[in-house]
Amino acid sequence: MMMQALVVLLLLLSTVASAQQPVAGTERLAWNHDGINVTRFELAVDGGAPAPVTVTMAGVDYTAPLPALTPGTHTLTLAACNIAGCSAPLSISVRVVVIPSPVTNLRVSP
């Protein structure tokens, strides 16, 4: 059964918190980089193994699809990499909350 959900994402960058943002699953992770000496970006979720991400670039602005996340709080860690290794990573915390699907077939019953 496919469940339709609205996901709410709370981003915390360093110690600065932003307001909650509703996300529908099409949003992207975004960051800036000068692009010098980088061949890939690697993303780790909750301390797991880093994996390359598919990025879209426009000047110094980069984006990548958000990974699939279960409800709860997660840490996303991103680093710029090349053949020599990876930069110091930058992390954000995200909180995913799934809102129930809407009620259907509302009616008055005897």
Side-chain angles (χ1 to χ4, degrees), residues 11-95:
L11 297 176
L12 302 170
L13 180 55
S14 300
T15 58
V16 180
S18 66
Q20 286 189 347
Q21 289 179 281
V23 295
T26 58
E27 292 77 10
R28 300 174 65 80
L29 190 61
W31 66 95
N32 299 111
H33 192 275
D34 61 15
I36 298 171
N37 297 321
V38 66
T39 57
R40 70 188 181 283
F41 291 92
E42 291 186 356
L43 179 68
V45 178
D46 296 333
V53 292
T54 303
V55 300
T56 302
M57 181 182 87
V60 298
D61 298 323
Y62 289 78
T63 62
L66 284 172
L69 298 169
T70 58
T73 301
H74 302 279
T75 300
L76 304 178
T77 304
L78 185 72
C81 303
N82 65 21
I83 195 165
C86 294
S87 67
L90 181 62
S91 296
I92 61 171
S93 293
V94 297
R95 189 176 64 146

